[in-house]
Structures are given as structure tokens and as C-alpha cells.
């Protein structure tokens, strides 16, 4: 067909497929980092079955630029359609803040988008070009899934992290 076969196919080669029985990390920060990596890998590779494992059934929130969405089917269906329009986007980011909720089953977190072309400002501070306001829920298997998300563009530094604003969809 005029092009080389892909070097990697997420549905065959993703770490979560190759090693399906690895338990989630015990350390909460590592578990949240793994959750974001699973989400980003699935979106960047257009692997909607892997994305399913990142979202709870009742996922809701703001999905800029497509709008506010709710329910796993609506969210994944919309992201799948949208991803076809933007196949080269990459979701470089890191967990910069998290806070456990009193129920022991939920965590709110902020994941900051790294812009590879501008990772630091003129003073050498780490700078981010956007962030996710996220809430995750622990499943009965110990795995974490996002149950709330809101993507917010806007620059900030490692010294001026956004405050939590969970539940306020801005898309």
C-alpha cells in the first residue's frame, strides 16, 4: 500500500497488554502516574479498548475542544471520532499535585501538560501549557480509573500550580 507496517500496535504491544496481570502500584503517586500514562498511551495510539480501562462507567467532565461529555460510551465514542482529526497529538504530561479524599476511594489530581518546544521559561522554571483537573476512583481490583476530567489550556509554572476545581466543567 506504499507505507511500512507500524513498528508498534497498541492492541498488541502496549505494556498493559503484554503484562496484563501486573498489579497496580501500591504507592499512590506511582499508581496515579501509571493511570495517566495508560490514558495518554491509549489516546496517542488510538487504542479505545485500553482507554476504556482508564475511565469509569460514569466518567464526566469537560473535553475541550469538543465540549462537556458524560458516560464512558459518549466520552470514548467522541474521543475516537475526534482523534481521527488529530492523529499526531501527543500527551506529554506529569502529575504535579494530588490529594486523597477522606473516603479512601477517591483522589483529586492535577496533571500538567508539558510542551516539548517550551519546557522551561526564561528563568529556567518548569513551565506547562495546560492542565487536567482530574478525579480518580479506586476499583474493587485496586486499579484506578478517572471519573471526572476537565482539560484547561493556559500557561503556568511549577511555582504557580492551579488550585483544585473538581466538578466544574469548562469545555
Amino acid at each position: 500500500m506504499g507505507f511500512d507496517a507500524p513498528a508498534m500496535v497498541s492492541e498488541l504491544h502496549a505494556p498493559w497488554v503484554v503484562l496484563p496481570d501486573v498489579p497496580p502500584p501500591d504507592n499512590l503517586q506511582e499508581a496515579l502516574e501509571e493511570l495517566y500514562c495508560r490514558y495518554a498511551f491509549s489516546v496517542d495510539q488510538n487504542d479505545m479498548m485500553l482507554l476504556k480501562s482508564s475511565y469509569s462507567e460514569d466518567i464526566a467532565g469537560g473535553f475541550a475542544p469538543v465540549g462537556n461529555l458524560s458516560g464512558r460510551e459518549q466520552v470514548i465514542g467522541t474521543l475516537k471520532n475526534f482523534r481521527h482529526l488529530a492523529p499526531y497529538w501527543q500527551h506529554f504530561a506529569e502529575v504535579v499535585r494530588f490529594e486523597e479524599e477522606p473516603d479512601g476511594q477517591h483522589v483529586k489530581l492535577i496533571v500538567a501538560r508539558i510542551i516539548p518546544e517550551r519546557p522551561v521559561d526564561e528563568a529556567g522554571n518548569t513551565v506547562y501549557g495546560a492542565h487536567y483537573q482530574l478525579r480518580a476512583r479506586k476499583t474493587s481490583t485496586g486499579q484506578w480509573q478517572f471519573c471526572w476530567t476537565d482539560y484547561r489550556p493556559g500557561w503556568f509554572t511549577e511555582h504557580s500550580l492551579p488550585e483544585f476545581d473538581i466538578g466544574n466543567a469548562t469545555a
Side-chain angles (χ1 to χ4, degrees), residues 16 27 36 41-42 46 65 73 85 87 96 98 117 120 123 126 128 130 157-158 169:
W16 301 272
N27 177 283
Y36 180 77
F41 191 91
S42 63
N46 203 19
E73 289 182 18
L85 302 173
V96 294
F98 68 92
E117 297 83 14
V120 296
T126 301
Y128 304 101
T157 72
E158 62 190 309

Side-chain angles (χ1 to χ4, degrees), residues 1-101:
M1 293 179 58
F3 56 85
D4 293 332
M8 182 184 72
V9 176
S10 180
E11 294 83 353
L12 302 173
H13 304 116
W16 301 272
V17 173
V18 175
L19 302 169
D21 299 323
V22 173
D26 291 330
N27 177 283
L28 181 57
Q29 180 162 349
E30 290 175 9
L32 297 174
E33 290 169 350
E34 184 275 334
L35 172 58
Y36 180 77
C37 286
R38 185 170 11 113
Y39 156 80
F41 191 91
S42 63
V43 170
D44 291 347
Q45 297 301 315
N46 203 19
D47 183 345
M48 297 302 126
M49 285 305 294
L50 184 58
L51 184 59
K52 178 182 175 188
S53 71
S54 300
Y55 286 142
S56 65
E57 288 276 345
D58 62 343
I59 181 67
F63 293 82
V66 297
N68 296 335
L69 305 172
S70 63
R72 190 187 283 162
E73 289 182 18
Q74 183 182 50
V75 168
I76 291 177
T78 302
L79 292 180
K80 181 177 181 176
N81 288 339
F82 185 71
R83 187 61 183 168
H84 291 294
L85 302 173
Y88 299 108
W89 284 359
Q90 297 294 303
H91 289 78
F92 304 113
E94 61 185 340
V95 176
V96 294
R97 174 183 276 169
F98 68 92
E99 184 178 299
E100 292 182 72
E101 294 184 15

